[in-house]
Amino acid sequence: MSYSVESVAYWYLSKEEMSPKKLQKILYYAYSWFLTLQNESSDELENKLFEENFEAWVHGPVINSVYDQYRHYGYKEIDKFEGDLPKFDSEALDVMEQVWEVYGGYSGNELENITHQESPWLNARKGYQPLDRCRNEIEDKDIFECYIQRVN
């Protein structure tokens, strides 16, 4: 079962206000770890937290629709979400909580630097210079193969 990316974003924004960059990277790690922990192999990646794909932008993984929704904040913090949150199943909630525990203390810039060291973003940007505009999708298979190595 997958959720809307908006509902996952609201869940994280209910934790604290954060920059759009931090939100994008937190969503990336939630998606990545859910994909890795809820699938058996890189050949069958059916279980996803949400359906949107990440693109390998200059500042790290980005979902274009989320960027459009929060771009007016620029470098300012997005307000903390105070509304009603959707219900998530226990597997999704467990992964989302763990992602928050591990990555929630980092700033958007720190998370950007971490993603720039990891193979999914690097693979999607092959052939591009550091500041070149790139809209290549980060492949689910690359995500799975990168993070499954950390599980074992």
Side-chain angles (χ1 to χ4, degrees):
M1 163 179 223
S2 67
Y3 300 92
S4 74
V5 70
E6 292 85 5
S7 64
V8 177
Y10 291 152
W11 190 87
Y12 282 111
L13 287 168
S14 76
K15 300 286 189 192
E16 67 179 35
E17 55 182 43
M18 65 184 78
S19 69
K21 185 188 287 187
K22 179 172 180 174
L23 177 61
Q24 290 277 3
K25 305 317 166 246
I26 291 288
L27 289 172
Y28 171 74
Y29 283 116
Y31 178 88
S32 297
W33 282 109
F34 188 89
L35 187 77
T36 302
L37 297 172
Q38 298 298 319
N39 290 283
E40 295 294 320
S41 78
S42 61
D43 296 326
E44 295 179 30
L45 297 172
E46 302 297 318
N47 297 317
K48 299 179 182 186
L49 187 57
F50 46 78
E51 292 300 321
E52 283 76 5
N53 296 310
F54 286 89
E55 296 175 357
W57 289 22
V58 168
H59 295 289
V62 169
I63 296 172
N64 198 38
S65 64
V66 174
Y67 174 79
D68 286 342
Q69 184 175 356
Y70 294 106
R71 71 188 307 169
H72 64 280
Y73 283 93
Y75 294 103
K76 294 194 261 345
E77 307 275 292
I78 302 166
D79 298 329
K80 187 173 179 183
F81 181 76
E82 303 288 351
D84 292 330
L85 291 170
K87 300 287 183 232
F88 294 95
D89 66 30
S90 60
E91 287 89 3
L93 218 44
D94 185 46
V95 170
M96 290 163 56
E97 288 282 4
Q98 288 183 57
V99 164
W100 185 249
E101 286 175 25
V102 172
Y103 299 100
Y106 291 105
S107 71
N109 288 336
E110 290 169 325
L111 292 170
E112 173 186 343
N113 289 334
I114 295 168
T115 64
H116 283 194
Q117 309 302 312
E118 297 174 334
S119 59
W121 182 83
L122 291 167
N123 289 345
R125 286 193 59 88
K126 277 193 174 122
Y128 287 84
Q129 296 299 312
L131 298 178
D132 286 351
R133 186 167 191 254
C134 173
R135 300 285 305 267
N136 290 348
E137 261 182 36
I138 297 174
E139 299 291 331
D140 285 347
K141 189 174 182 130
D142 285 345
I143 291 171
F144 183 89
E145 289 173 356
C146 174
Y147 298 106
I148 197 67
Q149 296 173 24
R150 300 178 190 187
V151 173
N152 300 327

